[in-house]
Amino acid sequence: MPSEISALSLIHRCRRNRRTAAIRDLVQEVRLHPADLIQPLFVVDGEGEPEAIESMPGVLRYSIPRLVERCREVADLGIPAVALFPKFDPSLKDAEGSHALVRDNLLYRAIAAVKEALPDLLLIADVALDPYTDHGHDGVLSADGRTVDNDASVARLTQLAQLEAEAGADWVAPSDMMDGRVGAIRAVLDGAGFTDTGILAYSAKFSSAYYGPFREAVGSLQAAGSAHLDKNTYQLNPANTREAIFDALLDEEEGADVLMVKPAGPYLDIIKTLRECTDRPVAAYQVSGEFAQIHAAARLGWLDLWRARDESLLAIKRAGADMILTYFAADWAATYQ
Ligand code: PBG
């Protein structure tokens, strides 16, 4: 310090706690751990080589044998859970999503194969009709075709959840945003003897542009035949906090074991508010578009990929998520020490 400048007399100098890496480590408030993460994985029929998904660099669609290998790698990295998403051939899709109820379809075979090979890996299966419908919606349409019929959709979704449980899913994850689906699924599971099967509810799921790459990955956009699939009559308005919390707490009342917020990064305030409103575990889904956004900027040389990735995940943890679904899970865990 030049001699003519006298030291400020400050009681607190915040920079003292940032001075060295050792101090910064000691004062760090939240940390990520591989055990916080859930790896989403895509599965396709056949025996072929894994298929790339253009807008999701490094994310592949696996045949069942390759999926099992991938799940083993994920488990070996200390990640406790995977969430499976099937991509069906368009020829199997119809307006009712009938293929969802075919007992030996790709998803159920995949669940059974992974469960048999890796019984300790927690297996999560999505409950929604979008991989099976030719219009790409998460449920069945009303008679006039103008909206998604809530109660008729719930009736099918409960059957889908039961088939997933029968195949060996540990948790079923309704991502459809129909009203009453959590309670209905709980009742059907309990009635069929699956009292130990958990429900990870997509409780505050927003109608988001950030699902675009996922819709490419599972083919729901191609099925809909349009560039934009409007789910505004069932997914939440991005402007609404109170409505999101009200809807999420209904899932808690209906018996959800874990409440999820989705997307994660643009909705950190919702994660934090929900965390304060419930004693149930809170999950957050860093969705395909959040992943793609970081990759795209990195590819242009505009962001540092790993630093942006780590910061995005830490921010979700800091907001209050107990667990994070992220396409970065395995990559992140591989660099964890
Ligand atoms: C559909 C479903 C979606 C995602 C998970 N389940 C997309 C949608 O609602 O259209 C999105 C996941 C992602 O973008 O990574 N039931």
Side-chain angles (χ1 to χ4, degrees), residues 120-143:
D120 295 331
L121 181 66
L122 188 96
L123 199 51
I124 305 170
D126 229 51
V127 182
L129 292 180
D130 56 310
Y132 311 94
T133 52
D134 56 13
H135 42 71
H137 281 291
D138 292 20
V140 293
L141 302 183
S142 58

Side-chain angles (χ1 to χ4, degrees), residues 56 85 126 128 130 138 175-176 202 205 210-212 214-215 220 231 235 262 285-289 327:
M56 301 178 72
F85 295 99
D126 229 51
D130 56 310
D138 292 20
S175 67
D176 53 289
Y202 287 71
K205 176 170 179 179
Y210 288 88
Y211 307 145
F214 174 96
R215 291 179 185 174
S220 59
K231 298 192 178 182
Q235 298 180 349
K262 172 187 177 188
Y285 197 150
Q286 183 183 50
V287 299
S288 57
Y327 300 97

